[in-house]
Amino acid sequence: MNEPVPVAEGDCLSQAFVLNRKDLGQLIERLKRTYERVYLPVGDAFREAGSIEGISFTGARALFGPKKYFFPPRESLFRFTKEGNIEDLLKEEKGAVIGARVCDLKALEVLDKYFGELPEPFYLTRKEGTFVAGATCTEPHQSCFCVQFGGLSTEGLKYDLWFTDFGDVILVETGSARGEEVVKDLDLLNAPKELLYRKERIIERVEREQGFRRINDKKIFDWFSEEVTHEIWERLAEECYACGKCNMICPTCHCFDVVDMTDLEGSGERVRIWDACHLFRYGLVASGHNFRGERLARAQYRIYDKFYYPYERYGIFACVGCGRCFEACSADIDLRDVLKVAGGEGS
Amino acid sequence: MKTGNIYIPKPAVIEKVEVEEPETWTFTLGTPLEHTPGQFVEISIPGYGEAPISIASPSGEKLMLTVRRTGTLTGALHRKKVGEMVGIRGPFGRGWPHQEAQGETLLLVAGGIGLAPVRPIIEDAYRGRLNYERLLLLYGAREPALLLYKKDLDRWAKKLEVFVTVDRKNGCETAPKVWDGRTGVVTELFKEVDFSPGRTWALVCGPPIMMHFATKGLISKGVPLNRIHLSLERHMKCGMGICGHCQIGGKYVCKDGPVFSVHEALSWREIPDELEGVA
Ligand SMILES: Cc1cc2nc3c(=O)[nH]c(=O)nc-3n(C[C@H](O)[C@H](O)[C@H](O)COP(=O)(O)OP(=O)(O)OC[C@H]3O[C@@H](n4cnc5c(N)ncnc54)[C@H](O)[C@@H]3O)c2cc1C
Ligand code: SF4
Ligand code: SF4
Ligand code: FES
């Protein structure tokens, strides 16, 4: 990590630049000029950028990802008055999310599918107005298993900038015209090829350290297609508390409830709030019938909705291998156990 | 690619309120709506939320909704008076295969408030806008007082084959008049009616337990699984395939349904409660 960086001479790349760490503040200021607010990982979570003290793009994903800037935990849809007037609360949103990881961005692409089908205006408006800079993971977490879904390759991913943090310098690659504009304004120097090689070596190491192999999508899908009554589901249901934490922390979960919040006079807002399919009342209807009253049905549903249903509907898995759900799980339920069985390694 | 704010309902004025029974009222709204029978709307009252309600009127006519009071939104709706406003979003969902069934026998099996979503088909068939070789309506309610559209039932019976039954004669002591019709659950009517299963389309809507037994009965009568269609009820919020609430077996009931063939539903990795053990 701390090898000296060769100074750019000759062998340079046209879409890769070097940012000195001490100039990170300038980059953030530049982003604020166009995007007003900048969000980045601080400790466990993404937060609005304050001082650049201690900011780093090393390590791996934050426990609480950047989904909340695209699909907030609580979002007002419109305001109403007791006289019956309605005020539309859909408006242009701007922002810059920097330091998102491969898994975070892949998760956004999963959300693009779900929200794009309608299309859903609140998510898409935020998506359009948000500048995104990704970052290469330099150390995986114990729970990371993204290698099973393609690992750290950024091929085909959409981003404006991509960072690789080498300590004193940050390699900045551009991925869009918006990104190029920012780099141009900062007058960054082109990066030497050597930095890119070093980035590749980091990626190889991180992927190796995870100790997994790419899964065979079709094989996994076929297992889910056949094994609805496999004994592993009983085991999961026995251990699961049905608390919904895994739903709340998952970067691809997207269910919401809609409630009216009013003041004493009867004016208020219609608000959507993240919901969780693990919760008992999720499928309850007014007649008292609960269509997913069994914990088994709910525990199984969440996992089918990552590996079976989205594959059927969109040809993708809705799991990106970030490991957040089992890092957060109070009952230590590890999704990888199911994948192991599905992939034919042990039961 | 973007759309406006699809969560904002359109205003509609209540033009008429008819009491079917104390807990179930039919509201006619001043806004006509183009739709397909079997579709529903989300009805909204600011401060009380929304609820999915089946469209009971034929397409192009003033919107008729028959609503049973069960909770927050439906309770607030029952306090509204003629001339007051509500909000509407929709129509949503995939309706019945009533077009494909033209020229053949259409068998409608409805329980309780489940008569509402097939009402547009009956009305259109009655007026000759849909043509079936035969149209049979098998309708059941818990007790005589709970039968919906009593005047319509008498009228339809003049042209169509209408069979009505109640689970029990007098549920409440204040039953308005003596019931001289059939008693027994709606599936008992299968014994009474005769139809050729290979030329029949069966559309079923009612409480889960009723749909279960109706499907079982239709299968044993020999109606093919792809000709038995159910309208599933699920917890709904958005009605547009976004909030996820209504999902079953990877399908959005609000958007891919609410009408599904038994054949399709039995292929899911999650079998609907309505069909548990039917085949
Ligand atoms: C496709 C469809 C068509 C329907 N058609 C009719 C009809 O024609 N007439 C009628 O009286 N009822 C109908 N229902 C049932 C009706 O939607 C519920 O009774 C109603 O949502 C209860 O709302 P509430 O606010 O009064 O009850 P609460 O118990 O306070 O419910 C709160 C919220 O939970 C959700 N919810 C609760 N129960 C149901 C449910 N059964 N179905 C869907 N969402 C629910 C709704 O979002 C509701 O607003 C239909 C349901 C569906 C899914
Ligand atoms: S899952 Fe992969 S992309 Fe996500 S944080 Fe871990 S190593 Fe990085
Ligand atoms: S299911 Fe778990 S591992 Fe997969 S994306 Fe969601 S939180 Fe990450
Ligand atoms: S009601 Fe929201 S997805 Fe069906």
Side-chain angles (χ1 to χ4, degrees):
Chain A
M1 189 103 320
N2 288 320
E3 295 166 49
V5 175
V7 180
E9 279 295 337
D11 214 10
C12 281
L13 298 152
S14 59
Q15 284 170 338
F17 304 85
V18 194
L19 175 75
N20 288 313
R21 165 151 249 107
K22 60 177 174 36
D23 298 334
L24 189 57
Q26 280 176 26
L27 175 95
I28 292 173
E29 283 315 310
R30 170 64 190 78
L31 287 174
K32 279 188 185 162
R33 273 219 312 278
T34 316
Y35 300 100
E36 289 159 25
R37 292 200 161 94
V38 176
Y39 309 102
L40 43 69
V42 182
D44 262 359
F46 274 76
R47 298 173 213 275
E48 196 167 343
S51 109
I52 66 154
E53 200 64 42
I55 296 299
S56 146
F57 303 111
T58 56
R61 53 119 184 101
L63 184 58
F64 303 97
K67 178 176 82 176
K68 60 185 177 186
Y69 301 120
F70 302 91
F71 172 42
R74 194 190 137 153
E75 179 161 41
S76 297
L77 302 170
F78 59 86
R79 190 170 291 138
F80 50 81
T81 62
K82 67 174 197 300
E83 295 79 23
N85 299 319
I86 292 210
E87 183 195 341
D88 189 348
L89 296 177
L90 175 64
K91 52 184 184 299
E92 296 297 314
E93 289 282 349
K94 279 183 168 183
V97 169
I98 69 176
R101 304 306 154 116
V102 169
C103 58
D104 293 326
L105 296 195
K106 281 195 177 157
L108 286 175
E109 295 195 345
V110 173
L111 294 182
D112 286 351
K113 291 276 188 215
Y114 286 113
F115 287 120
E117 195 179 307
L118 188 55
E120 202 287 327
F122 282 80
Y123 171 83
L124 290 174
T125 303
R126 285 171 188 277
K127 191 78 201 299
E128 222 173 83
T130 308
F131 182 96
V132 176
T136 308
C137 291
T138 62
E139 239 20 279
H141 295 303
Q142 284 265 310
S143 50
C144 289
F145 65 115
C146 64
V147 168
Q148 298 204 14
F149 305 99
L152 293 186
S153 162
T154 53
E155 214 176 293
L157 275 188
K158 286 192 288 293
Y159 54 83
D160 297 302
L161 291 178
W162 197 271
F163 300 158
T164 306
D165 191 339
F166 291 99
D168 287 346
V169 299
I170 296 169
L171 169 69
V172 179
E173 294 166 86
T174 53
S176 73
R178 291 202 296 201
E180 280 163 21
E181 241 171 71
V182 169
V183 164
K184 211 170 95 214
D185 286 358
L186 291 177
D187 246 347
L188 300 183
L189 289 181
N190 285 109
K193 257 192 182 152
E194 168 64 15
L195 268 192
L196 226 63
Y197 295 145
R198 282 175 57 189
K199 172 188 159 192
E200 293 307 322
R201 286 206 298 277
I202 292 175
I203 291 179
E204 278 164 28
R205 179 175 48 76
V206 170
E207 291 188 345
R208 199 173 51 241
E209 280 173 15
Q210 285 188 21
F212 294 105
R213 267 176 293 132
R214 175 109 181 75
I215 50 167
N216 177 334
D217 290 14
K218 183 68 175 49
K219 191 171 174 190
I220 297 292
F221 178 76
D222 287 346
W223 184 88
F224 277 90
S225 169
E226 301 297 327
E227 299 291 346
V228 183
T229 53
H230 195 283
E231 49 106 23
I232 193 164
W233 299 121
E234 304 273 346
R235 226 195 306 153
L236 276 189
E238 237 162 67
E239 289 165 9
C240 175
Y241 298 140
C243 65
K245 248 176 161 178
C246 54
N247 291 124
M248 292 294 156
I249 208 154
C250 178
T252 70
C253 271
H254 53 275
C255 285
F256 60 83
D257 196 5
V258 182
V259 292
D260 285 3
M261 302 206 161
T262 53
D263 59 24
L264 292 174
E265 310 233 284
S267 297
E269 288 176 356
R270 185 155 293 165
V271 181
R272 73 170 176 196
I273 301 176
W274 286 359
D275 207 344
C277 63
H278 261 296
L279 301 178
F280 177 76
R281 52 160 185 78
Y282 190 82
L284 189 67
V285 297
S287 65
H289 192 93
N290 192 330
F291 286 99
R292 233 179 259 128
E294 297 290 320
R295 206 167 45 188
L296 173 83
R298 300 198 300 282
Q300 185 168 29
Y301 187 79
R302 187 182 81 91
I303 301 181
Y304 264 80
D305 206 21
K306 300 295 172 208
F307 298 101
Y308 188 81
Y309 301 136
Y311 199 84
E312 216 183 17
R313 197 171 186 101
Y314 305 118
I316 56 163
F317 289 144
C319 175
V320 294
C322 70
R324 288 178 171 107
C325 54
F326 45 88
E327 199 170 321
C329 179
S330 326
D332 289 330
I333 291 174
D334 188 333
L335 190 66
R336 291 175 298 191
D337 293 345
V338 181
L339 280 184
K340 256 189 231 154
V341 175
E345 308 167 39
S347 55
Chain B
M1 134 165 119
K2 262 189 295 171
T3 51
N5 191 337
I6 48 181
Y7 300 98
I8 297 181
K10 290 196 180 63
V13 61
I14 300 173
E15 284 196 346
K16 196 160 96 185
V17 180
E18 290 155 283
V19 178
E20 304 284 345
E21 53 98 6
E23 300 298 312
T24 310
W25 299 3
T26 295
F27 297 83
T28 304
L29 307 183
T31 341
L33 195 72
E34 296 293 329
H35 67 93
T36 300
Q39 286 191 305
F40 64 94
V41 291
E42 286 282 346
I43 182 161
S44 155
I45 300 176
Y48 299 88
E50 292 184 302
I53 300 294
S54 306
I55 303 169
S57 44
S59 180
E61 296 185 7
K62 286 185 177 172
L63 186 59
M64 202 176 127
L65 305 173
T66 301
V67 183
R68 187 173 163 77
R69 181 171 62 177
T70 53
T72 314
L73 184 279
T74 50
L77 188 61
H78 277 226
R79 289 192 292 276
K80 292 265 177 198
K81 294 180 187 68
V82 170
E84 291 192 80
M85 305 291 281
V86 291
I88 293 290
R89 289 191 299 121
F92 296 124
R94 172 177 74 173
W96 301 106
H98 58 289
Q99 296 288 1
E100 290 97 301
Q102 287 206 74
E104 300 191 72
T105 297
L106 189 68
L107 176 65
L108 307 175
V109 189
I113 200 140
L115 183 56
V118 291
R119 190 183 177 282
I121 302 179
I122 309 172
E123 214 33 75
D124 274 346
Y126 177 82
R127 298 185 217 167
R129 287 193 283 203
L130 287 169
N131 292 293
Y132 301 103
E133 190 178 64
R134 290 171 70 192
L135 187 149
L136 297 96
L137 168 65
L138 315 188
Y139 177 46
R142 277 207 316 281
E143 51 194 75
L146 298 181
L147 289 167
L148 302 183
Y149 315 133
K150 292 184 192 68
K151 279 194 211 118
D152 292 335
L153 287 170
D154 291 340
R155 177 167 55 88
W156 295 333
K158 289 182 192 134
K159 280 196 192 170
L160 308 166
E161 301 173 60
V162 177
F163 302 82
V164 179
T165 182
V166 295
D167 293 359
R168 49 178 188 272
K169 268 189 171 130
N170 46 354
C172 52
E173 281 105 54
T174 55
K177 64 172 193 211
V178 193
W179 175 252
D180 53 8
R182 298 174 190 80
T183 50
V185 293
V186 69
T187 44
E188 291 280 306
L189 294 173
F190 287 151
K191 293 185 192 145
E192 201 175 320
V193 298
D194 203 25
F195 53 87
S196 78
R199 288 190 58 75
T200 297
W201 292 75
L203 316 187
V204 185
C205 188
I209 186 78
M210 171 265 172
M211 295 213 269
H212 172 90
F213 285 110
T215 305
K216 240 177 150 165
L218 290 163
I219 293 173
S220 69
K221 279 254 179 187
V223 182
L225 297 183
N226 60 0
R227 284 171 166 254
I228 308 173
H229 289 251
L230 311 181
S231 176
L232 299 183
E233 180 178 351
R234 288 294 180 277
H235 190 109
M236 290 186 181
K237 281 295 169 181
C238 69
M240 306 181 285
I242 290 290
C243 75
H245 259 278
C246 66
Q247 274 186 86
I248 173 158
K251 303 291 170 201
Y252 296 104
V253 173
C254 65
K255 176 177 173 175
D256 303 327
V259 175
F260 296 98
S261 79
V262 170
H263 176 78
E264 179 183 352
L266 287 176
S267 75
W268 297 338
R269 293 300 170 279
E270 192 182 18
I271 300 303
D273 289 359
E274 294 88 339
L275 297 180
E276 199 70 62
V278 294

